[in-house]
């Protein structure tokens, strides 16, 4: 019998989904526990993507569930302009204490996209407050993903996301080159040795515009949604040097990288490169309640604190910035990371994960395998005249034939294992994937 959800699907315009194709054969999840989803027909599926890079601790973690239940019955909401709540205050303190040195201020948002737009606005406001209002240009990177709002889309470099809005992207934005070069770096494990010089593209743009006109550069330390592009050795260091030389703020978009995906609280700590601003979301609440946070250096916050004390310093914020239930989920998430030693668990999984991924290196469809931390990608050659078809079929076959949820971006299969994955389950999931890749054309 057709379930009610399938009958009612018509009204739902799904995000980042081929709606017509999906609705012919809907994949509907109705429950989750730990590392598995359940579907409306009662199947149990292993989740290889930890939600959408969100749920590193697994789904419905009892401690987070309990904290949310308690909070929603205690303080469901309060205005966060002009008054605040105990949980938002505690979470800002907690998260900044985990951050790289000097980044002790935290602004809450509700998503990665909002974190990015907030960070860009803070960067522009900072320069203006310091009397350098000429610094208005923003630099992103080709293939970068910084969400779908106008700011993030403009500094982002994912062509399909930008194409329709090309004439409406915000002005004054340039992009440095992306770092993927399969010719030089195919099947690299971890950071590629070749490519630090690609950061010099920023120096080129400083030459073109004069560095004194550039406000900020935003990059993902490991580009994620475009298909996992780890930075070449020395690349992030070089970006930092060029930013310092020209007085440009460096923003790391760590919506994926933060909170254990790179076995540290922040990717910046893993790479030993400290940006000026970090954007986060996803793992901040283990995906349980939407929430993002922007962390900034104290000196950036201080620059805003010059107007008369009764005046608002930054005319920016969202109705749900610092939402108490989201903040309670965030606090419980941080507790679990500490109590369960999640970041250490993640570190131990890196080697087995890398081996499993690279065991696909000689597969007939595969042209590259890339990984860093618990982020991985298997790139398949596109079918003649039908880019994306092979990846899409792999996703569907995994779901229907192997009880496995995988994510594909076109023909790149992406993997974001749980930070507390069980090695035997992870191995089994890659065996199931192999069955599918062997079977498809
Ligand atoms: C690096 C990065 N920035 C921003 C975003 C946008 O986050 P959201 O979808 O929560 O708006 C994402 C989402 O995947 C991301 O990976």
């Amino acid at each position: 019998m057709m379930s009610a959800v399938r009958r009612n699907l018509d009204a739902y315009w799904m995000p980042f989904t081929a709606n017509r194709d999906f609705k012919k054969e809907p994949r509907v999840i109705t429950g989750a526990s730990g590392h598995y989803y359940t579907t409306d027909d009662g199947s149990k599926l292993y989740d290889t993507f930890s939600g959408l890079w969100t749920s590193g601790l697994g789904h419905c973690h009892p401690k987070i569930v309990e904290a949310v239940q308690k909070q929603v019955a205690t303080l469901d909401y309060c205005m966060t302009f002009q008054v605040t709540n105990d949980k938002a205050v505690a979470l800002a303190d907690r998260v900044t204490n985990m951050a790289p040195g000097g980044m002790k201020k935290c602004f809450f948002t509700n998503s990665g996209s909002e974190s990015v737009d907030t960070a860009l606005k803070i960067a522009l406001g900072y320069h203006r407050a310091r009397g350098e209002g000429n610094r208005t240009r923003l630099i992103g990177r080709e293939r970068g993903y910084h969400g779908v709002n106008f700011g993030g889309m403009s500094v982002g470099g994912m062509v399909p996301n930008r194409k329709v809005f090309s004439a409406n992207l915000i002005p004054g934005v340039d992009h440095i080159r992306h770092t993927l070069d399969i010719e030089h770096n195919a099947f690299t494990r971890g950071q590629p040795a070749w490519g630090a010089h690609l950061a010099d593209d920023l120096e080129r743009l400083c030459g073109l515009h004069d560095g004194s006109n550039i406000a900020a550069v935003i990059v993902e330390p490991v580009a994620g949604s475009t298909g996992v592009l780890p930075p070449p050795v020395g690349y992030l260091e070089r970006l930092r040097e060029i930013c310092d030389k020209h007085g440009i703020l460096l923003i790391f978009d760590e919506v994926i990288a933060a909170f254990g995906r790179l076995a540290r609280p922040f990717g910046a700590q893993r790479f030993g490169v400290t940006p000026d601003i970090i954007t986060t979301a996803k793992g901040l609440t283990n995906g349980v309640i939407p929430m993002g946070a922007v962390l900034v250096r104290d000196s950036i916050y201080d620059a805003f604190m010059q107007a008369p004390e009764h005046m608002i310093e930054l005319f920016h914020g969202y109705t749900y910035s610092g939402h108490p239930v989201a903040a309670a989920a965030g606090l419980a998430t941080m507790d679990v990371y500490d109590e369960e030693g999640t970041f250490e668990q993640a570190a131990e999984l890196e080697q087995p994960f890398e081996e499993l991924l690279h065991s696909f290196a000689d597969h007939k469809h595969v042209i590259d395998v890339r990984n860093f931390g618990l982020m991985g990608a298997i790139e398949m050659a596109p079918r003649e005249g039908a880019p994306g078809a092979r990846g899409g079929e792999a996703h569907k076959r995994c779901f229907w034939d192997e009880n496995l949820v995988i994510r594909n971006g076109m023909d790149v299969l992406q993997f974001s294992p749980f930070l507390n994955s069980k090695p035997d389950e992870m191995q089994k999931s890659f065996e199931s994937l192999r069955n599918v890749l062997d079977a498809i054309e």
Side-chain angles (χ1 to χ4, degrees):
M1 250 209 1
M2 205 195 243
S3 73
V5 63
R6 280 159 201 262
R7 278 196 305 275
N8 296 340
L9 204 54
D10 200 38
Y12 184 32
W13 188 345
M14 291 178 62
F16 275 122
T17 300
N19 275 256
R20 288 159 302 161
D21 185 65
F22 179 91
K23 286 173 187 180
K24 281 190 228 152
E25 209 180 23
R27 301 177 289 285
V28 181
I29 291 164
T30 52
S33 175
H35 299 164
Y36 291 87
Y37 287 127
T38 43
T39 60
D40 61 340
D41 66 3
S43 304
K44 190 174 164 194
L45 280 73
Y46 186 76
D47 176 9
T48 67
F49 210 60
S50 314
L52 190 56
W53 315 97
T54 47
S55 317
L57 295 171
H59 297 281
C60 299
H61 192 290
K63 283 223 159 175
I64 308 172
V65 170
E66 190 190 338
V68 168
Q69 286 172 336
K70 198 165 154 208
Q71 183 62 35
V72 81
T74 308
L75 173 65
D76 57 342
Y77 177 75
C78 77
M79 183 163 85
T80 54
F81 309 163
Q82 300 177 295
V83 297
T84 192
N85 66 79
D86 54 336
K87 297 299 185 300
V89 172
L91 186 61
D93 184 57
R94 185 81 177 260
V95 170
T96 51
N97 281 327
M98 298 159 70
M103 306 193 72
K104 293 288 178 243
K105 298 291 184 285
C106 169
F107 193 104
F108 287 119
T109 68
N110 307 292
S111 66
S113 299
E114 289 181 1
S115 291
V116 167
D117 278 39
T118 299
L120 299 177
K121 288 172 79 172
I122 289 176
L124 294 170
Y126 162 76
H127 289 302
R128 189 180 163 107
R130 291 164 51 252
E132 285 199 67
N134 53 299
R135 285 191 184 268
T136 55
R137 297 198 77 87
L138 299 167
I139 311 286
R141 187 170 60 189
E142 292 167 357
R143 295 192 66 160
Y145 184 61
H146 302 294
V148 289
N149 291 345
F150 272 96
M153 182 172 61
S154 302
V155 292
M158 305 269 282
V159 179
N161 298 358
R162 296 163 51 92
K163 187 171 141 188
V164 172
F165 313 103
S166 183
N168 309 89
L169 298 174
I170 62 173
V173 175
D174 290 273
H175 293 76
I176 53 176
R177 293 171 61 183
H178 68 75
T179 63
L180 181 66
D181 190 315
I182 294 187
E183 204 178 306
H184 282 97
N185 291 330
F187 304 107
T188 295
R189 293 169 180 243
Q191 289 186 262
W194 181 94
H197 66 282
L198 297 172
D200 292 335
D201 219 23
L202 178 57
E203 191 66 78
R204 181 179 66 80
L205 291 175
C206 291
L208 177 67
H209 296 297
D210 199 291
S212 68
N213 288 315
I214 299 175
V217 176
I218 181 166
V219 292
E220 303 158 85
V222 180
S225 298
T226 191
V228 183
L229 315 184
V233 174
Y235 174 90
L236 294 174
E237 291 83 344
R238 183 84 188 108
L239 278 188
R240 179 71 271 182
E241 274 169 33
I242 299 170
C243 286
D244 286 345
K245 179 173 154 200
H246 294 280
I248 300 167
L249 294 179
L250 179 60
I251 306 172
F252 277 180
D253 184 351
E254 297 214 19
V255 166
I256 293 173
F259 305 116
R261 183 101 348 246
L262 305 186
R264 299 281 194 291
F266 295 94
Q269 292 150 333
R270 174 73 181 256
F271 291 112
V273 176
T274 307
D276 303 292
I277 302 179
I278 294 180
T279 53
T280 70
K282 301 193 189 272
L284 176 61
T285 62
N286 203 41
V288 173
I289 306 273
M291 189 178 215
V294 181
L295 306 183
V296 306
R297 280 189 194 274
D298 291 322
S299 54
I300 293 178
Y301 175 85
D302 292 343
F304 282 87
M305 300 300 132
Q306 295 170 19
E309 275 198 25
H310 68 282
M311 287 298 294
I312 292 171
E313 300 96 359
L314 176 64
F315 280 85
H316 179 72
Y318 304 96
T319 299
Y320 302 115
S321 288
H323 192 289
V325 184
L331 285 167
T333 300
M334 299 306 136
D335 284 344
V336 178
Y337 289 150
D338 279 353
E339 288 162 17
E340 297 188 1
T342 304
F343 302 159
E344 292 76 32
Q345 287 177 326
E348 280 175 22
L349 287 167
E350 286 185 8
Q351 183 63 25
F353 175 57
E354 180 174 283
E355 295 302 331
L356 287 166
L357 278 173
H358 283 270
S359 71
F360 285 81
D362 55 3
H363 194 278
K364 60 181 177 183
H365 294 318
V366 174
I367 57 171
D368 192 18
V369 178
R370 306 182 283 272
N371 66 290
F372 192 82
L374 291 185
M375 301 171 68
I378 297 176
E379 178 152 356
M380 299 187 293
R383 280 184 192 146
E384 187 79 27
R390 185 172 276 147
E393 189 181 341
H395 166 86
K396 285 196 248 179
R397 289 268 197 129
C398 280
F399 190 98
W400 295 118
D401 302 346
E402 299 288 341
N403 284 349
L404 197 67
V405 175
I406 65 161
R407 172 161 165 84
N408 70 294
M410 299 298 279
D411 294 305
V412 185
L413 308 180
Q414 303 173 13
F415 299 90
S416 165
F418 294 106
L419 308 181
N420 55 9
S421 300
K422 297 196 178 94
D424 57 328
E425 289 181 339
M426 200 160 71
Q427 174 163 351
K428 196 164 162 290
S429 70
F430 279 97
E431 285 165 12
S432 303
L433 175 70
R434 185 172 291 277
N435 294 339
V436 167
L437 296 198
D438 286 349
I440 65 175
E441 276 310 306

